[in-house]
Amino acid sequence: MKKDILSILDLNSEELTGVLALADKLKGERKNGIFPEYLYKKSVGLIFEKASTRTRISFETGIFELGGHPLFLNPNDMQLGRGETISDTAKVLSRYLSAIMMRSYSHRTVEELALHSTIPVINGLSDEEHPCQILADIMTMRENFGNNLEDLTIAWIGDGNNVCDSLMLSSALTGYRVNVASPPAYRPKEKYIELAEKAGAYVKFFDNPRDAVSGADVIYTDTWISMGRENEKEARVNAFKGYRVDESLLAGCDSDSIVFHCLPAHRGEEISDEVIDGPMSRVWDQAENRLHAQKALLAKLLGDDISQSVS
Ligand code: CP
Ligand code: NVA
């Protein structure tokens, strides 16, 4: 049966550990010029309703490195842009491709695509979740702190957005605690707070970012203005004053704490230059690990035969 990854909770803990172990292996092999072809002769469609640097390029590169063929698909160049439905598109693409990754405005669009596809669908960021980002983040946490993630505390500072939703849910898989500090109007959606609770996640909410970062191992932030929210810019910039990850906020943190940002960063807004370019920052490792983690995910979803491996 095909498996879709629309939410980070579409993986269980065991599957997550399997993906991350393979990601570590692929990362090591790549350094030595070894490229196992888990996706030999397989084509993967990449549909982007919104802009992307990391997701697009890491998926395109990763699929190529696995021996497959990536197709970048702009909905406006497809009949989707002229009114063909998502469900009809799903049925047709399922006849050509081995999997589809989609970045959509509405989470319902990726759900609809998955419902009508007979091949796996991966969410490459919707308004509700960003599971591929969280895979890379957990890989980066393991590189810094080892595999016992249940000892960690992650502080999310800023907008309770799509990345925050997936981070909260991931606590149920890893056992780490997630402290969320957001202005009250920008806390995660109730639906995700409830989902996280139901799944057994350890999430606490704070008004003051200083309380949230106290004792945290990872301090994580993201833009205050996610794609699609550009017309709320003024209200958001005002509401998020005091939620910038800068040297003053980090003054009380342990020296071995690290800083995450999923990128793209809006330097001077949610994060200062000193922090993103400073010794605590792991943002470039996170970005790199998108490649390895997604390769591993695709290999697990599609790579039933690696006899074509060139290793
Ligand atoms: N973090 C992330 O998904 O970046 P892009 O928007 O560049 O893909
Ligand atoms: N929260 C951001 C993440 C970008 C990768 C957005 O949705 O635009």
Side-chain angles (χ1 to χ4, degrees):
M1 217 178 77
K2 69 134 177 173
K3 186 172 174 68
D4 303 309
I5 307 296
L6 307 187
S7 165
I8 191 69
L9 288 187
D10 287 327
L11 295 170
N12 62 32
S13 305
E14 204 180 313
E15 289 164 339
L16 174 68
T17 306
V19 169
L20 295 173
L22 181 57
D24 291 342
K25 183 165 174 276
L26 290 173
K27 184 171 182 175
E29 287 176 344
R30 186 177 189 267
K31 283 204 182 102
N32 295 317
I34 297 167
F35 294 91
E37 299 200 317
Y38 286 93
L39 263 56
Y40 181 73
K41 288 282 183 205
K42 293 189 176 172
S43 295
V44 179
L46 308 171
I47 308 176
F48 284 91
E49 284 184 351
K50 305 187 264 199
S52 169
T53 295
R54 281 140 289 269
T55 306
R56 174 176 176 179
I57 295 164
S58 57
F59 265 105
E60 286 200 29
T61 307
I63 293 160
F64 165 74
E65 289 182 2
L66 292 168
H69 175 61
L71 290 96
F72 171 75
L73 304 169
N74 179 343
N76 290 326
D77 297 334
M78 299 165 75
Q79 299 290 7
L80 260 177
R82 296 179 57 254
E84 188 168 21
T85 63
I86 279 283
S87 57
D88 289 352
T89 305
K91 287 171 203 152
V92 173
L93 294 189
S94 296
R95 301 290 178 105
Y96 304 134
L97 304 173
S98 297
I100 307 169
M101 187 239 65
M102 182 169 195
R103 168 167 287 193
S104 65
Y105 281 99
S106 165
H107 192 71
R108 282 219 203 107
T109 308
V110 278
E111 286 178 336
E112 176 93 353
L113 184 71
L115 183 68
H116 296 282
S117 298
T118 54
I119 53 177
V121 171
I122 300 171
N123 175 3
L125 177 77
S126 67
D127 58 345
E128 297 195 3
E129 277 214 53
H130 200 359
C132 297
Q133 179 66 51
I134 297 301
L135 284 180
D137 297 342
I138 301 173
M139 180 174 178
T140 312
M141 288 180 212
R142 285 164 39 120
E143 289 174 345
N144 281 272
F145 298 108
N147 295 353
N148 288 335
L149 300 173
E150 61 274 7
D151 299 332
L152 300 182
T153 299
I154 324 300
W156 177 269
I157 308 301
D159 192 16
N161 62 15
N162 37 17
V163 178
C164 179
D165 289 341
S166 291
L167 179 70
M168 291 194 306
L169 296 181
S170 70
S171 156
L173 302 175
T174 58
Y176 49 56
R177 284 166 298 282
V178 178
N179 292 346
V180 178
S182 309
Y186 296 96
R187 282 198 176 160
K189 288 194 196 79
E190 206 52 46
K191 170 184 165 187
Y192 276 89
I193 297 176
E194 280 169 20
L195 272 176
E197 201 172 301
K198 234 163 97 195
Y202 305 95
V203 184
K204 272 203 210 160
F205 296 94
F206 296 81
D207 289 329
N208 187 339
R210 284 187 198 283
D211 296 335
V213 303
S214 164
D217 302 285
V218 182
I219 296 92
Y220 198 160
T221 192
D222 183 16
T223 180
W224 296 336
I225 302 140
S226 284
M227 288 180 275
R229 303 273 181 190
E230 290 78 5
N231 59 355
E232 299 169 24
K233 181 167 180 168
E234 204 183 321
R236 284 176 168 267
V237 168
N238 282 327
F240 286 105
K241 275 189 188 127
Y243 289 82
R244 173 171 304 134
V245 174
D246 56 17
E247 283 181 326
S248 139
L249 180 68
L250 300 181
C253 290
D254 284 352
S255 56
D256 54 359
S257 300
I258 62 175
V259 170
F260 276 10
H261 190 310
C262 60
L263 303 177
H266 300 76
R267 288 165 175 260
E269 289 189 8
E270 74 277 1
I271 194 162
S272 67
D273 284 329
E274 291 73 20
V275 169
I276 196 169
D277 296 325
M280 292 168 80
S281 172
R282 295 293 181 278
V283 304
W284 319 118
D285 294 336
Q286 279 177 278
E288 176 185 337
N289 286 338
R290 295 290 303 276
L291 172 69
H292 312 299
Q294 289 158 192
K295 283 173 72 177
L297 180 66
L298 287 165
K300 290 281 183 188
L301 291 175
L302 303 179
D304 45 5
D305 176 8
I306 69 152
S307 57
Q308 303 292 339
S309 167
V310 294
S311 60

